[in-house]
Amino acid sequence: MRACGRICAVASPATGASSASRNRAEFSVGLSPRAGLGLLAAARAWALISERDFVVPEDVQAVFPHVAVHRLRAGTHTQEAIESAVLALLREVAV
């Protein structure tokens, strides 16, 4: 378990949020595994912009709303409802 270290600390919230999005009524389709990879890529970019060569869970938290709103299907809900649901999802998933 020690070998996982920092990678698990970052990947776990990303995969948890992706999985949790699939179980919410607000979304007709949740975040796919590919969206989770995009989330991690965006978090790496955020870390780079922040002048770090490593990703911390806060990077995932910072980019999650932007990635999720872009990737999630709204179904019959408005864009504002999707944005609100994404923020609620972020609060529910431990980062």
Side-chain angles (χ1 to χ4, degrees), residues 37-72:
L37 293 174
L39 176 60
L40 291 175
R44 283 193 303 271
W46 188 263
L48 184 63
I49 290 169
S50 301
E51 300 180 349
R52 282 182 278 106
D53 61 351
F54 56 92
V55 178
V56 294
E58 289 77 13
D59 296 326
V60 175
Q61 191 173 31
V63 300
F64 180 77
H66 308 286
V67 172
V69 166
H70 169 73
R71 301 288 298 198
L72 288 169

Side-chain angles (χ1 to χ4, degrees), residues 24-46:
R24 296 201 51 123
E26 295 93 337
F27 313 130
S28 60
V29 176
L31 293 174
S32 68
R34 183 181 287 180
L37 293 174
L39 176 60
L40 291 175
R44 283 193 303 271
W46 188 263

